[in-house]
Amino acid sequence: MTESRPPAFLLTTGEPAGVGPELSVAAARRFAASADGSARLVLVGDAGLLDTTAARAGVTLRELPHVEMLHVPLAVPATPGQLAVANGPYVVATLQAAADAALTGTADAIVTAPVHKGVISDAGIPFSGHTEYFQHHAGVEQVVMLLAGGGLRVALATTHLPLRAVPDAITQEGLGRVLRILHDGLRDRFGLATPRIAVCGLNPHAGEGGHMGREEIDVIEPALRTARAAGIDAAGPFPADTLFVPAHVAPFDAVLAMFHDQGLPVLKHASFGHGVNITLGLPYPRTSVDHGTALDLAGQGVADPGSLFEALDLAVEMVARGRQARPATGT
């Protein structure tokens, strides 16, 4: 990839029956309004669907400056609010097209509108989420889901797992990888030279000295000692119910929660609709919205595009920071 060309941001437009297409059109209009030729936005999805969606909003996509489309055809026509299993493979095809472009260097970052995991799985495609899909596609051993918003950054040691599977999925080695990726991501993607990370315990009261579980003693504390010896500023494990008190969390740049619903309810309470989901550990920046497909709002023009706007803005910042850190490599 050459650093002299304008960066390209690929926006996958999500579940075609959800709010993704209309939010993507809103993001394209906003992007074009401030476009100066220093970047390109590429909408990844069915061109006819996007044109129709844009027309309902009074927008002609093909006239927006520095906005392009990467056409991926629908299997069947999409109706707002009505899922079609036949379009499950279409959604995955949009993700593959974007991921291929990012890995080959023709795109600099991926921003994703929401998808519906259930309809993809119903189509016979095992799919647990964007995060896991991009990890598998890139062939990386580990990625970290980080959500940012409301003055908080919350990362997850485990992602989309049944609660009964979480303790077995948390290991010293795995936590060590997560902490390294989180530390490096905060430094490289967010520009924090010496990030401070607070780590939640798994059990109530962080195990209370082993009386409510030994995962803190046997797994988390040894992983933190190893991480600190490697130069990572990671403190804890802290009881999750008090860590998020503003005075307690304020000194830290990010919190590492042990499972999905331990950390994300707090962050979404503080920022829902304007938070950003980030995948750390990929060879390119990837950001996304903090909400789902909102089928009940689709096609009405009332869905709030704030989270997608924030996700695109953060991707732009990340790419700019990365380019500033690297010398130009020619034309």
Side-chain angles (χ1 to χ4, degrees):
M1 184 191 307
T2 61
E3 301 297 323
S4 59
R5 67 159 177 79
F9 298 90
L10 266 61
L11 171 52
T12 60
T13 52
E15 165 55 48
V19 295
E22 60 196 89
L23 297 184
S24 299
V25 168
R29 178 161 54 181
R30 178 174 177 264
F31 183 89
S34 60
D36 58 4
S38 61
R40 297 180 298 124
L41 178 65
V42 182
L43 305 186
V44 185
D46 185 272
L49 170 66
L50 294 172
D51 282 337
T52 300
T53 303
R56 285 201 303 265
V59 177
T60 303
L61 278 177
R62 297 166 198 274
E63 295 179 357
L64 295 179
H66 311 296
V67 173
E68 304 169 12
M69 282 188 280
L70 175 56
H71 175 58
V72 177
L74 284 165
V76 297
T79 301
Q82 299 180 24
L83 294 172
V85 172
N87 280 329
Y90 156 81
V91 176
V92 176
T94 65
L95 304 183
Q96 180 173 337
D100 288 345
L103 285 181
T104 58
T106 57
D108 297 81
I110 297 175
V111 182
T112 58
V115 300
H116 193 285
K117 300 180 186 70
V119 77
I120 296 172
S121 297
D122 288 344
I125 303 171
F127 186 86
S128 56
H130 280 112
T131 302
E132 296 83 359
Y133 177 85
F134 289 125
Q135 174 188 356
H136 177 75
H137 183 277
V140 296
E141 181 179 15
Q142 181 91 43
V143 295
V144 172
M145 180 188 291
L146 172 71
L147 274 84
L152 296 171
R153 299 185 188 97
V154 179
L156 301 179
T158 62
T159 53
H160 300 117
L161 291 178
L163 191 56
R164 67 173 62 249
V166 168
D168 290 341
I170 298 173
T171 65
Q172 290 185 38
E173 181 181 355
L175 276 180
R177 289 195 302 267
V178 168
L179 285 164
R180 170 54 63 186
I181 292 169
L182 178 56
H183 173 274
D184 291 351
L186 292 169
R187 181 193 63 203
D188 299 337
R189 302 293 192 205
F190 288 88
L192 301 171
T194 55
R196 297 197 65 203
I197 302 167
V199 179
C200 294
L202 173 66
N203 297 295
H205 301 180
E208 204 162 285
H211 294 287
M212 294 188 183
R214 292 193 54 85
E215 285 83 2
E216 288 76 14
I217 296 170
D218 296 338
V219 179
I220 301 175
E221 289 176 3
L224 292 180
R225 288 194 294 268
T226 301
R228 287 192 287 265
I232 297 172
D233 188 350
F238 298 109
D241 63 339
T242 54
L243 174 57
F244 287 100
V245 172
H248 294 171
V249 77
F252 298 100
D253 297 300
V255 172
L256 177 61
M258 291 296 106
F259 56 94
H260 188 279
D261 281 13
Q262 183 183 59
L264 297 195
V266 179
L267 184 135
K268 292 190 177 185
H269 174 75
S271 66
F272 189 70
H274 294 272
V276 181
N277 186 340
I278 303 109
T279 305
L280 300 177
L282 294 171
Y284 50 82
R286 179 260 165 170
T287 64
S288 187
V289 296
D290 68 347
H291 57 77
T293 54
L295 295 170
D296 57 325
L297 301 179
Q300 301 174 46
V302 297
D304 184 354
S307 182
L308 188 57
F309 290 174
E310 295 285 348
L312 181 55
D313 288 348
L314 182 57
V316 170
E317 292 174 15
M318 288 179 172
V319 169
R321 186 174 292 116
R323 287 188 165 216
Q324 290 168 2
R326 298 188 299 270
T329 55
T331 58

